[in-house]
Amino acid sequence: MAVGIDPTTSPALESLLSHSLLSRKWAPSAPRGQSAEGHGWNLYVVNTVSPIQLYQEMVEYSQSYSVANPQAQSLRHLLSEAHLLLRASLLTGPHPQTLPLQGEGGAETEPQRAEREELEAALRGNCADLGDCFSRGSQKDCHLALPYYRMSGLSVPEVMSRNKPHSGSSYGLGFLFFLKHYLLEETQLTLSQESADEVIDVFSQSEPSQLVCVCCSPLMVNVSPERTLSLLRHLEDTAGVSVSLTVTMATLALRLEERALFRQLMDRHSEMLLVYAFIEEPRLLLHGCGGALSSEVRPSALASEMARSQPGLLVAALVALHENNKIKLEQADCLFKELGCEGCLQVDFWEGTLMASSQEPLIQELLFRVASVYIDRLTHTDPDPRLAPGPGKRSLKTAEDLISSCSHFGALYPWLTVLCPVHTNSQHQEALHKLQSLLCGPSLSLGSVVPLLEQISEETLWGFSLHLLCDTRRGQHHRSIESLLDRCPQAIIAYGNHHLQDRHMALWWQKLLPELCNRTRAASDNSILLAALQETLVVVSMETSPTEFLELIPDDGTAAFFVPHLLSCSSRSLTT
């Protein structure tokens, strides 16, 4: 039986009752033998009672319920009515009988400010009391502890001190719900070691399965690593091995500077399983500054270590997080900036995302980014340090790797190997092959990179090859044939065999043959041009009839040179 206080002994409550302002029933249990019917209080503005006075008497009245039965519905109803009273008072302004009118210009007077602050403090206290009620509530309404504790402004240590279980009892469901959701938030705040260790104790006693999630919270950065590692080992012994648990233990070993243990734990599972663990719990690698996909992110200690010792795993994990909508491209860029590896690893991430993504706008954005980086590496003797791999470092994927595993990178045209011999600078050669591969592929938009390619001179053969690739992609084969005969005629047959096929086949005798005839006549001792002419005649004899071939023979007295090919053409025509 709840012990109550007779409301008629209070002038404020007596005033309410005398004005017949009864609208809701708070107390199913009647105070001191009286009937419960008719003892509700209305929260409309009462000119004779200040909100603070009424609230204080309602709090005093509620204490009788909290002592006898903290879970009584009457207590929740009473605190809820008090909550509505305070919020209504704050919304409607100061009480008319206790505060003077506002001053000139509508400015708040000092008494008004004081009462508003008193109302706000009372509201925070009321929210804390409601949070306490729901923190010990049933599963049906335990979630309500979270918003009330938030409105109370209490810190996590303060909430924990209000929810210490009595001997033989356990933590309330609402308290655990509040704590889990608070730890899921990404804030700049951190708990002290004492508070963080207390949080670990709460979950090790109540929900051990949540320990991994708890340890990953950035609020728990000050938790005792040795003590927590011991609890996680015990969890592993009782619940079994899980990848995310292993990685969490490895993170704690890293904090303890036990490198051997860290490596041993990370080597327990394959790279693919580790990536799955990071997808399941991204906070093992990154922490946000607001919890939203639009916010910036910062790397965890584990991510910083992986950038040095396991860059391939870090890139693979971030690509997987991006593909599973756990991180955005801009956030990944921010992460690499924080790690200080905007060069090789960031470009590796872009290349890896190109291999995995199917979103066309993203693909075009990434193609432009990687093409820009390759061009920068080719055009600068000392590339932008933010984009260069750095001394002693190589990209995770070679051009051959990308060609074989990513459809956006095309196989290098055969004539490119003739045009561009192997360069002594391996990083330069890698960037060149990747850029050439993009231009050989089907996806890169020429319009986006042509302005960037203009800074590359055609004086070198590798620079010339890039401009020639652009002309070829545009279908400007006439111009390409002339340019190639001018700069590197030994590559012309390889070029023709690859590009002058099907609907472009006629260019063999309409463009290439006349060009070679003219150039060979002008430089009769040029063995390269002569060999190219011989190869061209072989193709022409295979693709034209004897009559057509005969019309192609120049009438300048060199017909004897073409007779063997004419005979070959005629023989082929007769056999077919």
Side-chain angles (χ1 to χ4, degrees), residues 86-359:
L86 294 171
R87 294 189 68 171
S89 299
L90 283 168
L91 289 173
T92 57
H95 193 269
Q97 288 194 349
T98 58
L99 297 180
L101 295 175
Q102 292 183 342
E104 294 183 4
E108 189 178 42
T109 63
E110 190 62 33
Q112 289 173 328
R113 185 181 302 108
E115 179 158 334
R116 174 176 51 78
E117 291 174 355
E118 188 177 9
L119 284 169
E120 290 172 351
L123 181 63
R124 289 192 294 271
N126 171 261
C127 290
D129 291 337
L130 280 167
D132 291 342
C133 283
F134 290 111
S135 70
R136 297 181 291 267
S138 63
Q139 189 168 3
K140 178 182 177 182
D141 52 15
C142 66
H143 63 281
L144 295 175
L146 178 63
Y148 283 115
Y149 275 142
R150 285 188 187 282
M151 289 188 287
S152 71
L154 293 174
S155 65
V156 171
E158 289 171 332
V159 173
M160 287 193 294
S161 68
R162 299 170 72 103
N163 283 272
K164 291 186 182 297
H166 303 294
S167 58
S169 61
S170 58
Y171 291 100
L173 296 176
F175 168 63
L176 295 174
F177 183 88
F178 160 80
L179 205 52
K180 279 188 287 189
H181 281 75
Y182 189 88
L183 294 173
L184 284 173
E185 286 190 354
E186 298 284 356
T187 69
Q188 298 281 13
L189 302 176
T190 57
L191 297 177
S192 66
Q193 179 175 337
E194 181 182 0
S195 297
D197 287 344
E198 186 176 352
V199 170
I200 291 292
D201 289 338
V202 169
F203 283 97
S204 64
Q205 297 171 30
S206 303
E207 295 187 52
S209 62
Q210 295 293 321
L211 280 176
V212 169
C213 180
V214 171
C215 290
C216 292
S217 172
L219 279 75
M220 301 290 289
V221 67
N222 295 320
V223 72
S224 171
E226 186 173 5
R227 182 172 178 273
T228 307
L229 184 58
S230 175
L231 291 172
L232 293 181
R233 281 173 171 159
H234 177 71
L235 175 62
E236 186 178 58
D237 292 337
T238 56
V241 176
S242 75
V243 184
S244 55
L245 177 57
T246 300
V247 177
T248 306
M249 294 168 63
T251 302
L252 294 170
L254 192 64
R255 284 188 56 190
L256 291 169
E257 298 185 356
E258 296 186 13
R259 296 280 174 174
L261 177 59
F262 171 77
R263 292 301 324 152
Q264 176 189 348
L265 290 169
M266 292 296 287
D267 290 342
R268 274 189 187 181
H269 307 287
S270 67
E271 181 174 298
M272 185 57 68
L273 290 178
L274 291 172
V275 169
Y276 287 145
F278 294 131
I279 295 174
E280 179 183 349
E281 184 48 82
R283 292 183 303 170
L284 288 166
L285 286 181
L286 51 93
H287 298 147
C289 298
L293 280 176
S294 59
S295 65
E296 293 183 353
V297 296
R298 58 187 185 276
S300 67
L302 178 62
S304 300
E305 171 62 26
M306 288 169 59
R308 293 187 293 270
S309 60
Q310 295 176 287
L313 176 58
L314 176 62
V315 169
L318 292 176
V319 170
L321 289 176
H322 181 271
E323 287 304 295
N324 285 273
N325 297 318
K326 299 296 180 69
I327 186 175
K328 287 190 173 181
L329 189 62
E330 295 76 14
Q331 291 178 312
D333 293 340
C334 176
L335 189 73
F336 285 113
K337 182 178 180 180
E338 288 289 322
L339 290 170
C341 52
E342 298 164 89
C344 189
L345 287 190
Q346 185 175 25
V347 179
D348 288 332
F349 169 75
W350 293 342
E351 292 172 346
T353 306
L354 272 174
M355 296 168 60
S357 180
S358 59
Q359 304 174 38

Side-chain angles (χ1 to χ4, degrees), residues 16 21-24 26 40-46 54 81:
L16 281 174
L21 298 175
L22 309 178
S23 64
R24 294 182 60 187
W26 295 332
W41 291 315
N42 188 295
L43 296 184
Y44 294 116
V45 176
V46 182
L54 179 57
E81 294 284 3

Side-chain angles (χ1 to χ4, degrees), residues 442-468:
S443 304
L444 179 65
S445 172
L446 276 183
S448 64
V449 297
V450 164
L452 299 177
L453 286 171
E454 290 177 354
Q455 59 186 302
I456 297 179
S457 171
E458 294 189 45
E459 293 181 1
T460 60
L461 280 178
W462 63 264
F464 168 68
S465 73
L466 297 173
H467 290 277
L468 191 63

